[in-house]
Amino acid sequence: MARKGKEEFDWLDDPFDEKKAAREQVRSSMSGGTKMVLGCGCLLAVAGIVVLLVLAGVSMIDLLAA
């Protein structure tokens, strides 16, 4: 007999499987080294933008003074 109006339960994709959820969390989490490299990259990008803004400001002052 087929069930009418009810979805079949998928045993392979059990949302309450705690072991599977733990494995997926470990797989998706970043390690400490990755976080450090990402933070340093962002810091370098911000420093580069600040340097470019300072150079643009100095250039604008030089152009206005001429």
Side-chain angles (χ1 to χ4, degrees):
M1 246 168 89
R3 297 181 191 178
K4 294 182 181 179
K6 292 187 178 180
E7 296 180 18
E8 292 285 327
F9 185 75
D10 187 8
W11 292 101
L12 295 175
D13 193 23
D14 184 9
F16 300 105
D17 187 3
E18 294 176 3
K19 290 179 184 177
K20 182 179 177 184
R23 284 192 306 262
E24 288 178 359
Q25 183 181 12
V26 167
R27 191 179 327 140
S28 66
S29 66
M30 287 194 297
S31 67
T34 305
K35 288 181 185 178
M36 186 177 68
V37 169
L38 188 62
C40 289
C42 288
L43 186 64
L44 286 174
V46 169
I49 290 171
V50 168
V51 168
L52 287 175
L53 288 174
V54 167
L55 288 175
V58 169
S59 177
M60 290 292 283
I61 291 172
D62 189 36
L63 286 174
L64 290 174

